[in-house]
């Protein structure tokens, strides 16, 4: 299959003032597009990769189904493509969504005690990720919510190579390219402002699917 850069459901400036339009433009058209280009090159060099969709490629990282000579390439670029495709969907213009569904809110309260406590733990995971990586809210096997972080372009779908596997329902990019133009070294400020642009409708939908064992197929 040929991978494509997904379009956004909002303009590059729509997330301001929390995420600036210049960062969004560069992040989407340059950084994300590079992962797409490199994944297509990987498929050209190894046609059997083209028989798997993006979700499956991420889930098969660390298994013999990904050729050894392409493992790092697919892990970095297939991970980068899935992570960013997911990230764009969980963002929305400020004040345009209504918050967690009653089902998700109950699950958050059950797992963390409160919405504020969930945010605090998520923020700590995002701020504490050394170097480049991601923070995630996800549903682990058994249906309970969990918070984790991954390095580089890894994600919790890569059950064979990450410390904590789950089905992501919310993610935050904490690579410097995601925030440095506006926030410089103030990663915690970027993380805090992220909550103003979360697309809760998307998160609610991902949560409903995840409780049935279904991961986002982007």
């Amino acid at each position: 299959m040929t991978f494509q850069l997904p379009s956004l459901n909002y303009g590059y400036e729509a997330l301001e003032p929390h995420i600036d339009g210049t960062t969004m433009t560069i992040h989407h058209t340059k950084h994300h597009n590079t992962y797409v280009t490199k994944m297509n090159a990987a498929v050209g060099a190894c046609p059997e990769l083209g028989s798997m969709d993006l979700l499956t490629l991420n889930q098969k990282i660390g298994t013999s189904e990904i050729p050894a000579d392409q493992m790092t390439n697919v892990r970095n670029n297939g991970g980068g493509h899935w992570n960013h495709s997911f990230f764009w969907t969980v963002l929305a213009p400020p004040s345009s969504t209504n918050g967690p569904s009653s089902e998700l809110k109950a699950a958050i309260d059950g797992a963390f005690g409160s919405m504020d406590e969930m945010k605090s733990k998520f923020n700590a995971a995002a701020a504490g990720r050394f170097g480049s990586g991601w923070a995630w809210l996800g549903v682990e096997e058994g249906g309970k919510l969990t918070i984790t972080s991954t390095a580089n372009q890894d994600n919790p779908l890569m059950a064979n190579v990450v410390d904590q596997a789950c089905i992501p329902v919310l993610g935050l990019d904490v690579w410097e390219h995601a925030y440095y133009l506006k926030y410089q070294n103030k990663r915690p400020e970027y993380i805090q402002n992220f909550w103003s642009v979360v697309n809760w409708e998307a998160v609610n939908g991902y949560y409903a699917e995840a409780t049935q064992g279904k991961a986002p197929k982007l």
Side-chain angles (χ1 to χ4, degrees):
M1 65 180 299
T2 300
F3 297 103
Q4 304 288 335
L5 181 70
S7 58
L8 306 184
N9 293 324
Y10 42 83
Y12 291 127
E13 294 80 22
L15 308 181
E16 292 183 346
H18 309 289
I19 302 178
D20 63 283
T22 301
T23 292
M24 285 296 298
T25 302
I26 296 170
H27 200 172
H28 181 243
T29 65
K30 303 298 184 183
H31 291 284
H32 188 178
N33 198 44
T34 296
Y35 296 122
V36 175
T37 300
K38 290 184 176 180
M39 270 308 304
N40 285 326
V43 171
C46 186
E48 59 262 42
L49 293 174
S51 66
M52 290 181 270
D53 61 24
L54 184 60
L55 174 60
T56 303
L57 283 169
N58 277 263
Q59 292 171 325
K60 298 300 183 183
I61 295 295
T63 75
S64 60
E65 294 188 54
I66 306 293
D69 64 341
Q70 291 292 332
M71 188 70 71
T72 298
N73 196 7
V74 176
R75 183 174 181 174
N76 290 340
N77 296 297
H81 184 20
W82 190 93
N83 291 353
H84 285 86
S85 298
F86 178 80
F87 185 45
W88 309 135
T89 69
V90 298
L91 298 176
S95 303
S96 65
T97 63
N98 296 317
S101 64
S102 57
E103 294 82 5
L104 178 54
K105 179 64 166 58
I108 288 171
D109 290 345
F112 307 106
S114 68
M115 185 73 171
D116 285 344
E117 190 61 22
M118 183 277 286
K119 288 182 177 180
S120 177
K121 285 180 164 38
F122 186 98
N123 291 357
R129 167 51 58 186
F130 181 77
S132 300
W134 294 74
W136 307 94
L137 174 69
V139 176
E140 58 188 358
E141 190 172 354
K144 187 176 181 180
L145 285 171
T146 188
I147 287 169
T148 187
S149 70
T150 55
N152 302 316
Q153 293 298 350
D154 286 355
N155 61 58
L157 299 170
M158 301 176 182
N160 297 289
V161 297
V162 297
D163 294 334
Q164 186 175 356
C166 64
I167 297 175
V169 301
L170 179 64
L172 176 60
D173 188 346
V174 292
W175 283 61
E176 285 189 344
H177 65 240
Y179 63 87
Y180 208 81
L181 286 180
K182 180 176 177 64
Y183 294 97
Q184 289 82 50
N185 64 331
K186 300 187 286 287
R187 184 194 284 187
E189 184 178 343
Y190 160 70
I191 295 165
Q192 185 61 47
N193 287 342
F194 161 69
W195 295 106
S196 296
V197 292
V198 170
N199 181 353
W200 285 107
E201 276 66 35
V203 178
N204 294 335
Y206 290 141
Y207 174 71
E209 292 286 297
T211 58
Q212 301 176 46
K214 299 176 184 178
K217 199 169 186 177
L218 305 166

